[in-house]
Amino acid sequence: MRSMSDVTDAASILRAGGLVAFPTETVYGLGADATNVAAVEKIFRAKGRPSTNPLIVHVADESVARRYAADWPETATTLARHFWPGPLTLVLPKRSSIVDLVTAGRGTVGLRAPNHPLTLRLLQQFDGPLAGPSANRSNHLSPTTAQHVRDDLGNAFDLILDGGPCEIGIESTVLDLTTNPPTILRPGGTSRDQIEQQIGPIQILSGSVLAETAAVSPGQHALHYAPKAAAFRFEAEQAKEIIRQYANQKEPVAIVLLSPVTSPSPKVKSMSTDPVEYARTLYSTLREFDYQKVETIYIEMPPNSPAWAAVRDRIKRATQCLSASRR
């Protein structure tokens, strides 16, 4: 765990236009001053990120968020006071101080206060908006440890604050408050039910945005959060057949299961049937396969239920449908 002196150094680096990798409860972020064009450009270069994919902006609390939102409705107050700090990003009209590159040229910005003590201290010292996408190469698996950041980005940043493994393991929920009703653009660590308990009915955006189209939120492009290996998803009823076909192959293959199918093959990985624990270990499990130079991964889809919405979204964006690939 980094000390307070490191946090002070990190805040100074950000003010000078540098890049700092930082922990959150969801995944590690790669941060730069969201009001500094040159600093934000460094994020896109380091990640190889297309300019059509916007960045979430991290703030210390509601009072800082209000400085950078051109409109702050009562629903934002309710949600921020109930869920911040935490895994909920609110999309609101932006002020001109947030550079256009942060928002893919759109007039809205995603704001959130992350629930990690180290980064909250950094944000309090920095006292500004911290643009912070996941600290990985574009479209690759998001990092949930400091070592993952180093593996992906090498020395492309000025400092990393090591806050240990991320508690949640997948990204925040992104909620667009500029629509009526509000719209979940990306499911994540805060559920639809939790949000609706506070502000009433909301809707969920389905499908993907074309890669060349400016997205309102990160995580809307079809390919995202993907391992290096070719990855395919299948349904629970296909599990026995998948094991029969692939578990004994000589090729470097991995099979990720949720169903209670047993296999003596070391290529078969059983995941937790608890959606919270599954989410926490999903990216690290897939990264381990990359480290092992697995060439093909077959992933069983979890149940189509609200509790699994965020996990299913990430698996869909990381994989192809196995049945479609055989057509």
Side-chain angles (χ1 to χ4, degrees), residues 25-26 83-89 112-113 115 168 170-174 188-190:
E25 78 281 26
T26 58
F83 293 111
W84 284 6
L88 179 64
T89 296
R112 94 169 179 105
N115 191 16
I168 293 177
I170 59 173
E171 298 79 5
S172 64
T173 299
V174 179
T190 303

Side-chain angles (χ1 to χ4, degrees), residues 18-103:
L19 297 184
V20 173
F22 60 93
T24 76
E25 78 281 26
T26 58
V27 300
Y28 273 73
L30 182 64
D33 182 350
T35 67
N36 183 326
V37 175
V40 173
E41 287 174 342
K42 292 179 182 178
I43 291 180
F44 283 84
R45 286 197 298 271
K47 286 176 61 66
R49 187 181 182 95
S51 60
T52 54
N53 199 357
L55 313 179
I56 285 173
V57 173
H58 297 75
V59 293
D61 52 34
E62 179 186 345
S63 66
V64 180
R66 284 173 173 267
R67 296 183 211 160
Y68 302 101
D71 181 51
W72 189 266
E74 187 60 34
T75 50
T77 297
T78 299
L79 293 169
R81 292 181 182 177
H82 191 83
F83 293 111
W84 284 6
L88 179 64
T89 296
L90 304 178
V91 174
L92 296 158
K94 81 177 186 77
R95 293 191 184 275
S96 59
S97 54
I98 300 294
V99 301
D100 288 342
L101 184 58
V102 169
T103 63

Side-chain angles (χ1 to χ4, degrees), residues 3 5 30 42 57 95 100 126 128 134 159 218 297 304 311 321:
S3 66
S5 62
L30 182 64
K42 292 179 182 178
V57 173
R95 293 191 184 275
D100 288 342
F126 178 55
S134 54
L159 179 71
I297 305 171
N304 188 9
V311 170
C321 179

Side-chain angles (χ1 to χ4, degrees), residues 24-26 86-87 144 166-171 188-189 276 278-281:
T24 76
E25 78 281 26
T26 58
T144 56
C166 298
E167 180 182 355
I168 293 177
I170 59 173
E171 298 79 5
V276 174
Y278 190 114
R280 184 180 296 122
T281 58

Side-chain angles (χ1 to χ4, degrees), residues 189-302:
T190 303
S191 71
R192 177 180 186 172
D193 181 62
Q194 288 174 308
I195 295 168
E196 289 187 330
Q197 287 179 22
Q198 300 303 315
I199 64 169
I202 61 175
Q203 59 188 352
I204 298 181
L205 184 70
S206 60
S208 301
V209 173
L210 295 175
E212 60 270 22
T213 301
V216 180
S217 162
Q220 290 190 291
H221 292 152
L223 175 65
H224 213 51
Y225 318 118
K228 295 175 182 176
F232 301 90
R233 62 184 180 272
F234 62 90
E235 300 301 326
E237 59 268 22
Q238 298 174 276
K240 289 184 179 180
E241 178 62 17
I242 294 295
I243 292 174
R244 187 190 69 78
Q245 285 194 47
Y246 301 110
N248 296 316
Q249 285 188 0
K250 292 182 180 180
E251 291 78 7
V253 167
I255 301 170
V256 180
L257 292 179
L258 184 69
S259 57
V261 177
T262 58
S263 170
S265 173
K267 296 180 178 180
V268 177
K269 166 74 174 179
S270 294
M271 298 289 282
S272 174
T273 56
D274 172 31
V276 174
E277 181 59 27
Y278 190 114
R280 184 180 296 122
T281 58
L282 173 60
Y283 290 153
S284 59
T285 296
L286 296 180
R287 274 184 178 270
E288 187 57 36
F289 295 147
D290 278 349
Y291 296 150
Q292 295 170 8
K293 300 191 183 305
V294 166
E295 293 180 358
T296 310
I297 305 171
Y298 300 94
I299 305 176
E300 178 186 348
M301 285 296 285

